[in-house]
Structure formats: C-alpha cells, structure tokens
C-alpha cells in the first residue's frame, strides 16, 4: 500500500463553493490532496475541511500514543484499554487496513 501525502495539510480557498486541502503552505507547494464542497452550512463546511486537513497530524499523534504505551499505562483500567483499542482501529482505518 502507498503512503499518504505527508503533512502538514491545510485549507486553501477553492472555486465554486469548494475548499482545497493542500499539502504544504500553498497549492503550488505539493498540490491538492482533496476538495471539500459546501454542504448545509458554512460552519459544517469549515469543520469538515479542518478535520480533513488535520488528518496527518491526528494519525501521527495516535501512532505516538500507541508506540509509547501511554494509553495502556493505567494497568487494568477498562477506559484506557478502550481508548487504545479505538486508537488502533482509527489508525487501521486511516491506513486502509
């Protein structure tokens, strides 16, 4: 499986009520990763775009938490184990596994 376009990603204005998620500081750096189109409201559009733009950083943070064992240091705490399981599932989803 290929790896994703490295971050950081950020939101850049697009045409026709769309926003572009770009890799780097601008579209000319490394190009567009995704486009986000207007939905129900400006707030929803903005929230969706920023969530997508944060994806590489979120994946990196989850991988660091799992690698450090930080989510599982609470011993037999079911909440910590549940959080670790969710983190692993999200990592697998992000990697297409």
């Amino acid at each position: 499986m290929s790896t994703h376009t490295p971050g950081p990603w950020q939101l850049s204005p697009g045409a026709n009520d769309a926003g572009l998620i770009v890799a780097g500081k601008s579209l000319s750096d490394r190009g567009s990763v995704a486009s986000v189109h207007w939905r129900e409201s400006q707030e929803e559009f903005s929230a969706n775009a920023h969530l997508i733009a944060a994806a590489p950083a979120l994946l990196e943070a989850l991988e660091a938490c799992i690698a450090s064992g930080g989510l599982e240091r609470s011993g037999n705490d079911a909440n910590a184990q549940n959080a670790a399981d969710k983190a692993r599932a999200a990592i697998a989803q992000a990697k297409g596994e």
Side-chain angles (χ1 to χ4, degrees), residues 2 5 7 9 13 15 21 27 37 40 49-52 54-58 60 64 68-69 74 77 82 85 94 96:
S2 299
T5 303
W9 295 356
I21 307 301
L27 186 57
H37 297 274
E40 299 298 320
H50 285 97
L51 179 61
I52 294 166
L58 293 168
E60 183 179 341
S68 72
S74 300
D77 183 350
N82 187 38
D85 291 344

Side-chain angles (χ1 to χ4, degrees), residues 2-61:
S2 299
T3 60
H4 68 274
T5 303
W9 295 356
Q10 57 188 346
L11 178 60
S12 178
N16 301 321
D17 293 326
L20 297 175
I21 307 301
V22 299
K25 295 182 180 180
S26 69
L27 186 57
S28 63
D29 276 358
R30 291 182 285 168
S32 171
V33 175
S35 62
V36 181
H37 297 274
W38 185 272
R39 299 279 303 170
E40 299 298 320
S41 68
Q42 176 65 33
E43 294 80 18
E44 182 183 26
F45 166 80
S46 181
N48 289 340
H50 285 97
L51 179 61
I52 294 166
L58 293 168
L59 176 59
E60 183 179 341

Side-chain angles (χ1 to χ4, degrees), residues 68-95:
S68 72
L71 291 175
E72 295 162 328
R73 286 196 186 132
S74 300
N76 292 329
D77 183 350
N79 289 332
Q81 186 58 51
N82 187 38
D85 291 344
K86 286 182 177 184
R88 283 188 195 89
I91 291 167
Q93 182 181 6
K95 292 183 171 188

